[in-house]
Amino acid sequence: MRWMAGRTVAGHKVLITGAARGLGAALARQLSAAGAHVALLGLEPELLAEVAAECDNAPWRYCDVADPAQVKRVIDALAGELGGIDSLVVNAGIAKQMPMVGGDASVLEETLAVNVLGLAYCVQSAGPYVARPGGYVLVMSSVSVAVQLPLAGAYSASAAAVESLGCTLRAELRHTGAKVGITYFAEIDTDLTGRGFGTAAAHTVLGKTSLTGVTPVGPAVDAMERAIRRRRRSVVAPWWVWFALPVRPLSQWVLRCVLGNRVERAITIARTEDPPFTTAQPARARRMERQT
């Protein structure tokens, strides 16, 4: 069946990573309600099962995206149950604050393992299914590629890497007819935002809510659905992100002016805090044992 971009998602086969909650779960529900066939993977089996039940008993699997062997096995299995993959949504991601001086470098290692290497493993495994006319890959970057917040260096680095890999993938898939979209979201009302910005250090920098205000999930999910229907290159939420991306140095300068001397106090606090990742991760030792 030839995919008619921009018309409907009915009958479209979509694999979504990080689908147990947040944007992944909301997108799965919305696509399923519109007639798409979805498959889900993530780290929280009970939540995945609940989302799958709401999506016409969609197939799902537990999967640590930082484990390449597990990713290939799970994606091949889900592709078999779906009867192929038309769109891959690489939504799995984590965040945790980390001061660049005096912080725990393992936060950066774990963030890159999930957000960047996990993306690469998912693309490599799903690539043979989507590398064709009508195929589509949607990867999740962030407005942080334009505006880097203090203490969010690990996440911002991963977002920049995701953008770079997305652009590279777009060039490499062009001859196949497949397309690649990149999301640039600001603070969306999900656990990643709530937990990631819920520390005392973050409150010191940003106040009790956020710097720009938290955007509801609905508009972001609508934008992602439209992107899948139309195979769009860039996806933003909220609307003002369109204006921050082209003027990245200016956006960063404005941020420095707004934050003033709050950053020093926040870094001091952050060095005494040890918040969890926004999604609990398998122990690194267990992961390394599976790879050997």
Side-chain angles (χ1 to χ4, degrees), residues 1-14 31 34-36 86-87 132-136 177 179 225-232:
M1 180 183 68
R2 183 173 177 80
W3 173 242
M4 300 300 292
R7 301 211 174 187
T8 177
V9 295
H12 203 52
K13 302 164 186 173
V14 186
L31 291 175
D86 296 317
S87 291
R132 55 177 174 75
Y136 184 64
K179 294 187 177 181
E225 183 188 350
R226 285 194 301 273
I228 292 169
R229 282 195 284 112
R230 302 172 185 175
R231 298 197 301 157
R232 284 186 165 173

Side-chain angles (χ1 to χ4, degrees), residues 120-167:
Y121 300 149
C122 289
V123 165
Q124 288 176 339
S125 296
Y129 300 102
V130 298
R132 55 177 174 75
Y136 184 64
V137 179
L138 184 63
V139 301
M140 308 292 287
S141 185
S142 165
V143 71
S144 65
V145 300
V147 182
Q148 291 81 43
L149 287 172
L151 305 179
Y155 181 77
S156 295
S158 74
V162 166
E163 181 187 42
S164 179
L165 291 176
C167 291

Side-chain angles (χ1 to χ4, degrees), residues 182-223:
I182 303 173
T183 71
Y184 299 94
F185 291 162
E187 296 158 86
I188 307 298
D189 189 13
T190 64
D191 288 336
L192 190 144
T193 295
R195 297 176 183 180
F197 292 100
T199 67
H203 288 162
T204 299
V205 173
L206 304 176
K208 292 297 184 182
T209 53
S210 72
L211 194 64
T212 60
V214 177
T215 301
V217 170
V221 173
D222 289 343

Side-chain angles (χ1 to χ4, degrees), residues 64-68 92 94 106-121 158 281 284 287 291:
D64 173 10
V65 296
D67 181 336
I94 59 173
S106 69
V107 172
L108 177 60
E109 295 171 0
E110 189 73 8
T111 302
L112 295 178
V114 175
N115 297 7
V116 180
L117 293 179
L119 178 149
Y121 300 149
S158 74
Q281 297 297 300
R284 179 168 291 276
R287 179 183 299 149
Q291 295 179 9

